[in-house]
Amino acid sequence: MFAEERQIQIVRELNVHGNVKVAQLSEKFKVTVETIRRDLEKLEAENKLVRTHGGAIAVESRDDDEIPFNDRTILNREEKLSIVNVAKQLIQEKDVIFLDASSTSLYLAKELPNLNLTVITNSILIAYELFSRSNIQVVMTGGNLTKSSLSLVGPSAIRTIKYYHINKIFFSCKAFDMDRGISDSNEQQAAVKREVIEMAEEKILLLDYSKIKKRSFVFIEDMNVLDYLIVDRKADLQYLQKLKNSEIKLLVGE
C-alpha cells in the first residue's frame, strides 16, 4: 500500500470513529509505529487531524465528494486495476460504451483495448485521456461542471444521454448493499447514472471491496438491474453468495 493511500484511509478511520490509536493503525496497515507517527505528523501539517498522546482525533468529518479526485484515484488503486483488467475483456469492436465520472472508470479509460469504439462520458478527465486515441470516438455530455470531479451533471447531461444507443455502461458507486441496492452520495451524479442505466443494454458495476455492505445517501437502482458485478479479491465473497440465485454474473479480479 502506498503512503498516500494509507493516509487517506487513516482520515477515513478518523471520520468514522472520531479518533485513532497509533498501535491499532500499525497493526491494521502492517507497518511500524514510527511509520504511522510520520503519517500522523504529515496529516496534522495538512490540518486533517490533531495528534494526541498515542494517536489522533479528527478535525472535522468530510464526505467522499469533498476528498480531492486525485486522492480518490490513489485510494485502493491496486484493487481498481484488478477490476479494470476484467472489465476491459467485456468490450468488443464497435461497442458504444458509457464511462461514468468515477476514478475506477478513469482507470478503465487508460486500459481500453485497441478497438474501434465510441465512448460517451460526463468526465472531462476521461475525455482528455482518450482524445488522442484515433480509433476511439469520444462524446461528452453537456451539463454543469462539478469542480471536485471535473464532471458534467444536470438536465443537459441527461438530455444528451437520451440521444444515443448505448451497448454497455461501466460505472461505480459509493455503496452497495444486497437489500438497499446501489447508492451514491451525490444526487446529480446518481441522476446521470440512473438515466444511462435505463438506456444501456448491459449494466456493469465496478466495485472495490471498500464499498460493499454499505449504504449511501441517494438510491440509484436495485442490484437486479445489473448484468455484471466486478469486484476485487478483497471483496466479501461470502456476502455476495446471494448473487448465485440471480442472473447477475459475478466476476473477480486477480
Side-chain angles (χ1 to χ4, degrees), residues 115-127:
L115 300 173
N116 291 314
L117 302 170
T118 298
V119 176
I120 305 171
T121 186
N122 66 325
S123 166
I124 293 173
L125 293 173
I126 288 175

Side-chain angles (χ1 to χ4, degrees), residues 58-198:
V59 175
E60 59 182 8
S61 295
R62 301 177 74 194
D63 186 87
D64 270 357
D65 283 343
E66 295 175 324
I67 298 174
F69 189 84
N70 285 342
D71 286 354
R72 280 188 275 144
T73 303
I74 293 168
L75 192 63
N76 299 328
R77 177 179 180 274
E78 295 303 319
E79 289 75 22
K80 290 172 182 176
L81 286 172
S82 74
I83 291 167
V84 162
N85 284 332
V86 175
K88 68 183 182 182
Q89 298 175 37
L90 300 177
I91 300 172
Q92 299 175 323
E93 184 83 15
K94 296 184 179 180
D95 267 348
V96 178
I97 67 173
F98 184 93
L99 300 181
D100 76 339
S102 66
S103 58
T104 310
S105 286
L106 178 57
Y107 278 122
L108 179 55
K110 294 175 184 288
E111 298 294 328
L112 282 178
N114 188 31
L115 300 173
N116 291 314
L117 302 170
T118 298
V119 176
I120 305 171
T121 186
N122 66 325
S123 166
I124 293 173
L125 293 173
I126 288 175
Y128 182 77
E129 177 67 33
L130 297 176
F131 86 94
S132 62
R133 299 275 293 272
S134 59
N135 55 326
I136 296 178
Q137 179 183 1
V138 180
V139 178
M140 288 203 69
T141 69
N144 301 322
L145 177 64
T146 301
K147 294 181 180 179
S148 61
S149 60
L150 289 179
S151 61
L152 301 170
V153 295
S156 295
I158 291 172
R159 278 198 300 271
T160 302
I161 292 162
K162 292 179 183 291
Y163 292 132
Y164 296 99
H165 179 86
I166 300 169
N167 298 121
K168 295 160 185 163
I169 173 177
F170 294 86
F171 71 109
S172 191
C173 63
K174 288 295 187 296
F176 177 85
D177 180 87
M178 298 290 285
D179 298 316
R180 173 62 176 164
I182 308 160
S183 55
D184 215 310
S185 61
N186 184 288
E187 290 180 274
Q188 291 186 309
Q189 295 287 357
V192 171
K193 294 176 189 184
R194 196 178 296 119
E195 184 65 31
V196 186
I197 288 169
E198 183 178 339

